[in-house]
Amino acid sequence: MPYFILWNILRTVINSYNKIHFNYIIKGDKDFKYELLLQPELNFATHQLLNIYFIQPSEQNYIEKRETYAKKRNIKEYVLNAGFIIRKPISKTSSIYLLGSIGSMIMDKDAERLSKGFAFSNVLALGFSLKMDKITFDIRPSIRHVSNAGFQSPNLGFNTKNIEFGFSFPI
């Protein structure tokens, strides 16, 4: 049975996320459920280089880059992740799960650690769901890694820790 989840993500100092999460149970029994995941998202990040010496004098136009990246910049990320969920029911109305996903993304601006354009977004999360009537409430801490796999320079990537809250209902 497909599910639709609209995520309203906890805002942090530098990021806010809006996701729509579709999942489909491919196999399940009383012990475990296995689900496929498709997750488009729009991320808004405020980024600022805090250590100007991260950009070395050996880099071309290093002074201009230091000045540009030292100012707060708003970056949009357009992401489409696909993944897998392993869910363990702990009662008739609650479950815990492990989520892993990978996807492509486009950044609208560059940063000192990652170039503008195409990159990858990888997520690993551990979640808890509680069903009340036809609505399921969800919380999941996650770790996200973004890089462009060396397709462009720079490619130092970045990692974020997130806490996501959401709700789902069958469609």
Side-chain angles (χ1 to χ4, degrees), residues 108-169:
D108 73 341
K109 292 186 178 88
D110 59 347
E112 75 283 352
R113 301 186 65 81
L114 198 60
S115 61
K116 173 183 174 180
F118 183 77
F120 295 98
S121 170
N122 308 304
V123 176
L124 183 61
L126 182 62
F128 174 78
S129 295
L130 178 63
K131 187 172 183 177
M132 301 176 84
D133 295 321
K134 291 188 178 197
I135 297 176
T136 302
F137 296 94
D138 198 270
I139 183 170
R140 66 177 176 216
S142 65
I143 297 172
R144 179 174 179 245
H145 173 73
V146 173
S147 83
N148 64 30
F151 289 127
Q152 299 178 55
S153 182
N155 180 40
L156 297 170
F158 57 89
N159 300 315
T160 58
K161 297 176 212 166
N162 308 291
I163 297 177
E164 303 179 9
F165 300 94
F167 62 92
S168 68
F169 50 90

Side-chain angles (χ1 to χ4, degrees), residues 60-76:
Q60 188 176 16
N61 302 322
Y62 80 97
I63 293 175
E64 180 183 321
K65 288 179 181 178
R66 284 179 177 177
E67 290 172 358
T68 298
Y69 298 136
K71 297 174 188 168
K72 283 190 178 180
R73 305 174 73 220
N74 295 319
I75 299 173
K76 290 181 189 165

Side-chain angles (χ1 to χ4, degrees), residues 2-3 14 19 89-91 111 120 144 151 161:
Y3 283 86
I14 58 169
K19 300 180 181 185
I90 53 178
S91 74
F120 295 98
R144 179 174 179 245
F151 289 127
K161 297 176 212 166

Side-chain angles (χ1 to χ4, degrees), residues 16 34 39-40 54-55 74 96 114 126 129 171:
S16 68
Y34 303 93
Q39 185 173 279
F54 181 84
I55 300 173
N74 295 319
I96 57 173
L114 198 60
L126 182 62
S129 295
I171 55 173

